[in-house]
Amino acid sequence: MTNSLRPNGDRRAPLPPAQSPADGVPSPRSPLSTQKKQNGKQRDAFFDNAKYLAIVLVAMGHAWEPLKSDSRILEAAYQVVYAFHMPAFILISGYFSRSFDMRPDRLKRLITGVAVPYIIFETAYPLFKRVIDNDPHQEISLLDPWYLTWFLVALFIWRLTTPIWNLVRWPLPLALGLAMLATVTPEIGDDLDLQRVLQFLPFFVLGLVMKPEHFHMVRRRSVRIASVPVFAVALAFSWWAVPRMNTAWFYHRDAAQELGAPWWTGPVMVLAMFGCSLVLTACFFAWVPRRHMWFTALGAGTLYGYLLHGFLVKAGDYQGWFEASWLHRPAGEILVTVLAAAVVTALCTKPVQRGFRFAMEPKMEWAFKKDAAQLARERQSGERREREREKVNA
């Protein structure tokens, strides 16, 4: 007869098995999903393809920025791309964060895969400017995200709040409400780029509440066909809007008052741009290949391409590479576009990942305590091996 307080008698109670990593907990080799297999399931090539194509669009947009003022067509394409490339990336990030909780192993991966790279690159970018731009007074501040590092801050905050969004009854309306309030609150300031964190939040929360069937819906042939005229209309409207609309609205980093607009335009623009971004994101997903492509494996290295290509863009800005007059003509713009796509593709490859793993995926076991369950599992495993060894010797 066993003691009710010790149902296993003198034997230790069996420990729960170690669990597999959470979907969407970032590591640099796979910022938005895990590697080859997860929970016995093969990776979906669609999402790796989407992440790669989105990061290519990000790099192309950054390369167009110094050139777009001389071309209304390029400015229109720039606005269309900026309307959906980061929303698509963020939505996928939210989708693969649905199971995130405060389990120690997932928090460790969040720290080593997001927080530590943020500290490293937030320091590296200003140091790079000091050297390349001959600006020894450039400050280093962990509170003011530099260039591309805002996304790491946002991802860290969004992931930490995921349990809250999974708990509340109407997460998306609540996220939209916070984004609308942010656009009328210039007092938020620039610390941790909280304007962007809040204004892009609805896309992350939307990803959290999405289900696989939602992605299957936008991958239908009818949606793919309809997306062609939708993109054509978006480009035409953007061409018309170039002299009439402030491009800064697409960056989601300022309140309405800071853009010289009446306060009420902030909430209106949040809803309008959220709707437009969703339509264009659906059109983008409709054309993402579902099968394994030559670039599918690069989708697991998009964080490398994202953070590293910024150094080349900034070097070109500091050194005046984009000032050549021939680059501001159609042939030059096409060349810059192709080079941007090629460079970010190279930066997503395995050799680059191996070379920069120390910054993107630091091994920091020394920095964390081992949780009691893990220690007990290791102790049980050691005892089991010892018993097996004794049986063999006997």
Side-chain angles (χ1 to χ4, degrees), residues 11-28:
R11 293 177 288 108
R12 295 187 183 93
L15 291 162
Q19 300 183 46
S20 59
D23 283 344
V25 180
S27 69

Side-chain angles (χ1 to χ4, degrees), residues 54 56-66 68 74-90 147-148 150 196 200 203 231 235 238 246-253 273 276-278 280-281 306 309 313:
V56 167
L57 291 174
V58 169
M60 288 165 51
H62 290 153
W64 290 345
E65 194 163 350
K68 63 186 178 65
L74 190 62
E75 178 85 26
Y78 178 87
Q79 289 186 355
V80 171
V81 167
Y82 261 72
F84 74 88
H85 69 350
M86 285 308 295
F89 207 87
I90 294 167
Y147 196 33
L148 303 176
W150 72 268
R196 270 178 166 165
F200 275 116
F203 299 103
F231 268 121
L235 282 169
S238 183
N246 189 343
T247 304
W249 283 108
F250 293 95
Y251 304 146
H252 298 279
R253 67 186 178 197
M273 296 192 71
C276 291
S277 295
L278 281 190
L280 293 177
T281 297
Y306 176 77
H309 88 278
V313 174

Side-chain angles (χ1 to χ4, degrees), residues 146-159:
W146 180 272
Y147 196 33
L148 303 176
T149 58
W150 72 268
F151 179 70
L152 296 178
V153 172
L155 191 58
F156 188 84
I157 295 173
W158 295 333
R159 284 260 164 80

Side-chain angles (χ1 to χ4, degrees), residues 3 41 72 89 96 107 208 212 267 272 374:
N3 187 321
K41 296 180 180 179
R72 186 168 176 177
F89 207 87
F96 281 101
L107 289 174
L208 289 176
Q374 182 179 353

Side-chain angles (χ1 to χ4, degrees), residues 36-194:
K36 291 292 183 183
K37 292 184 179 181
Q38 179 156 304
N39 298 329
K41 296 180 180 179
Q42 191 73 24
R43 284 180 71 115
D44 190 337
F46 169 80
F47 292 106
D48 280 333
N49 292 338
K51 289 186 292 181
Y52 166 75
L53 294 173
I55 209 65
V56 167
L57 291 174
V58 169
M60 288 165 51
H62 290 153
W64 290 345
E65 194 163 350
L67 309 176
K68 63 186 178 65
S69 60
D70 295 323
S71 171
R72 186 168 176 177
I73 295 176
L74 190 62
E75 178 85 26
Y78 178 87
Q79 289 186 355
V80 171
V81 167
Y82 261 72
F84 74 88
H85 69 350
M86 285 308 295
F89 207 87
I90 294 167
L91 190 148
I92 295 174
S93 180
Y95 178 74
F96 281 101
S97 297
R98 292 169 297 163
S99 61
F100 181 84
D101 55 25
M102 295 299 179
R103 211 174 70 190
D105 61 326
R106 294 175 177 176
L107 289 174
K108 289 176 185 177
R109 294 180 63 200
L110 183 61
I111 292 170
T112 58
V114 177
V116 172
Y118 170 73
I119 294 171
I120 291 174
F121 281 87
E122 183 65 13
T123 303
Y125 270 117
L127 290 177
F128 183 77
K129 187 176 191 300
R130 288 185 184 184
V131 175
I132 303 300
D133 199 29
N134 193 25
D135 183 7
H137 302 294
Q138 175 61 48
E139 295 182 355
I140 299 174
S141 172
L142 295 181
L143 293 178
D144 187 11
W146 180 272
Y147 196 33
L148 303 176
T149 58
W150 72 268
F151 179 70
L152 296 178
V153 172
L155 191 58
F156 188 84
I157 295 173
W158 295 333
R159 284 260 164 80
L160 280 182
T161 60
T162 293
I164 298 175
W165 301 114
N166 288 334
L167 178 66
V168 298
R169 182 169 294 181
W170 300 292
L172 185 56
L174 179 58
L176 281 168
L178 289 175
M180 293 165 69
L181 287 174
T183 61
V184 299
T185 315
E187 294 81 7
I188 289 177
D190 297 325
D191 288 351
L192 297 180
D193 238 344
L194 288 179

